[in-house]
Amino acid sequence: MGGFATFAIGLAIFAIILIFLGVKSVPQGMEYTVERFGRYTETMRPGLNLIIPIVDRIGRKINMMETVLDVPSQEIITKDNAMVQVDGVVFYQVLDAAKAAYEVNQLEFAILNLTMTNIRTVMGSMDLDELLSKRDEINARLLAVVDEATTPWGIKVTRIEIKDISPPKDLVDSMARQMKAERDKRAAILVAEGERQAAILAAEGQKQAAILEAEGRKESAYRDAEARERLAQAEARATLMLSEAIGKGNVQAVNYFVAQKYVEAVAKLAAAPNQKVLLMPLDTSGLVGTLAGVAELAREALSRAESRS
């Protein structure tokens, strides 16, 4: 009995150990591969899983979460023979734990070397200006190539980003001088364009001013001509009236006509710019008599108008 009891206790302990060895807990975000006598048989998902102790064992523990790898800095020779330092990052996620465990050795090392090689290939086929201005295009081309190459490994490359592109210092100085010269050129063009526009506007303003001035002179000449026409008509009517009065033998009308011309002649002599002092003998009695005759004519014209009305 003593020996049987010992055997039973030992068997129970052995069974407990087997059960302990056969129950495996897989954390969230991880997957374990199971190998039976060294050969892959299945993949354990997160949670509690059972294996056959001694016969089965855990092969690889694969992280199924998205992972970030830093791509080391490396020198790239561009298409126009410029030497630049480039680094970046790779984002990938394992989709098939068995392929990631058994299709490639040292998965992360393989991804890094594949990415670095394709960075040299893609960026080496571009000019320096394209490298600096087309990062999105470079990232897209790298992602397409690397993702296609790593598909047999059971992973998905989600993003590849170029972090830094560092040209040599002398090349940076040359680019800075070129940029400054380009900006100075644009500034000079803008200044010249502004001066040209200002000159055009000034010429347009002068043109409009000349047009307005010509129109003003035209309007003034038209009004002067109209005034002269009216004055001529008035003088013609006055001359006609005087002629009629003279024809009727009215001496006062003749005196009025002579006095008018006499006064106009004196006014012109007095208004001459080279005359400072005007000394002339005037027949004041004749002039007064003439003015009296004019008054008499006015009274006769007024009485005739009243008699007609």
Side-chain angles (χ1 to χ4, degrees):
M1 287 294 291
F4 180 76
T6 302
F7 176 74
I9 292 172
L11 185 60
I13 293 173
F14 181 72
I16 293 172
I17 293 174
L18 289 178
I19 293 173
F20 179 77
L21 293 175
V23 176
K24 297 297 181 181
S25 176
V26 180
Q28 184 68 37
M30 300 291 293
E31 288 187 2
Y32 296 171
T33 62
V34 179
E35 299 176 356
R36 181 170 295 171
F37 301 114
R39 181 180 180 181
Y40 167 78
T41 57
E42 62 175 336
T43 300
M44 292 192 298
R45 310 296 179 185
L48 288 176
N49 295 267
L50 296 176
I51 63 173
I52 301 174
I54 300 174
V55 177
D56 295 337
R57 70 182 182 88
I58 301 298
R60 303 286 180 86
K61 298 179 179 181
I62 305 298
N63 187 345
M64 304 300 291
M65 295 179 290
E66 188 171 9
T67 306
V68 182
L69 291 178
D70 284 324
V71 179
S73 178
Q74 60 177 329
E75 288 186 345
I76 303 295
I77 300 177
T78 63
K79 186 178 180 180
D80 52 352
N81 297 323
M83 186 76 68
V84 295
Q85 289 280 343
V86 180
D87 60 2
V89 290
V90 180
F91 297 82
Y92 76 94
Q93 186 175 14
V94 177
L95 302 180
D96 191 325
K99 290 183 178 180
Y102 302 110
E103 293 293 336
V104 61
N105 187 28
Q106 297 182 350
L107 177 62
E108 292 187 356
F109 182 75
I111 295 173
L112 283 177
N113 279 274
L114 181 63
T115 304
M116 293 175 68
T117 302
N118 281 280
I119 286 176
R120 287 194 295 269
T121 301
V122 172
M123 301 183 71
S125 63
M126 305 174 70
D127 295 333
L128 180 61
D129 292 339
E130 292 178 322
L131 294 186
L132 299 176
S133 61
K134 297 182 179 180
R135 290 201 181 192
D136 291 339
E137 180 181 340
I138 295 172
N139 295 335
R141 291 175 60 183
L142 288 172
L143 179 61
V145 174
V146 176
D147 184 46
E148 181 181 0
T150 56
T151 299
W153 301 344
I155 67 173
K156 173 66 177 177
V157 178
T158 56
R159 281 185 297 171
I160 297 180
E161 299 288 342
I162 299 298
K163 289 197 302 183
D164 190 22
I165 300 176
S166 302
K169 187 177 184 303
D170 56 346
L171 188 57
V172 173
D173 295 338
S174 299
M175 293 171 61
R177 290 193 298 270
Q178 180 182 0
M179 184 182 302
K180 184 177 183 299
E182 185 66 23
R183 290 180 178 176
D184 292 341
K185 175 184 175 182
R186 288 200 297 266
I189 291 174
L190 290 176
V191 171
E193 186 66 23
E195 292 177 351
R196 173 176 173 271
Q197 191 66 25
I200 291 174
L201 292 176
E204 188 67 24
Q206 293 176 359
K207 175 183 176 182
Q208 293 296 329
I211 292 173
L212 292 176
E213 183 179 357
E215 291 180 352
R217 289 197 302 268
K218 176 182 176 182
E219 182 68 20
S220 177
Y222 175 78
R223 293 183 180 275
D224 290 343
E226 185 179 3
R228 287 194 299 270
E229 180 182 0
R230 292 182 179 179
L231 180 61
Q233 291 176 357
E235 289 180 352
R237 286 196 299 268
T239 304
L240 180 61
M241 291 176 63
L242 288 174
S243 299
E244 292 178 354
I246 294 171
K248 294 178 181 181
N250 193 337
V251 181
Q252 294 178 351
V254 176
N255 293 335
Y256 166 75
F257 184 76
V258 173
Q260 180 184 15
K261 297 301 181 180
Y262 186 77
V263 172
E264 289 178 357
V266 173
K268 289 181 180 180
L269 289 173
N274 57 349
Q275 296 295 328
K276 302 301 180 179
V277 179
L278 180 64
L279 298 175
M280 291 182 60
L282 295 177
D283 188 1
T284 55
S285 61
L287 181 60
V288 172
T290 301
L291 294 178
V294 172
E296 185 64 26
L297 283 175
R299 282 195 297 271
E300 290 180 1
L302 183 60
S303 62
R304 290 178 183 174
E306 290 176 355
S307 62
R308 290 177 184 177
S309 60

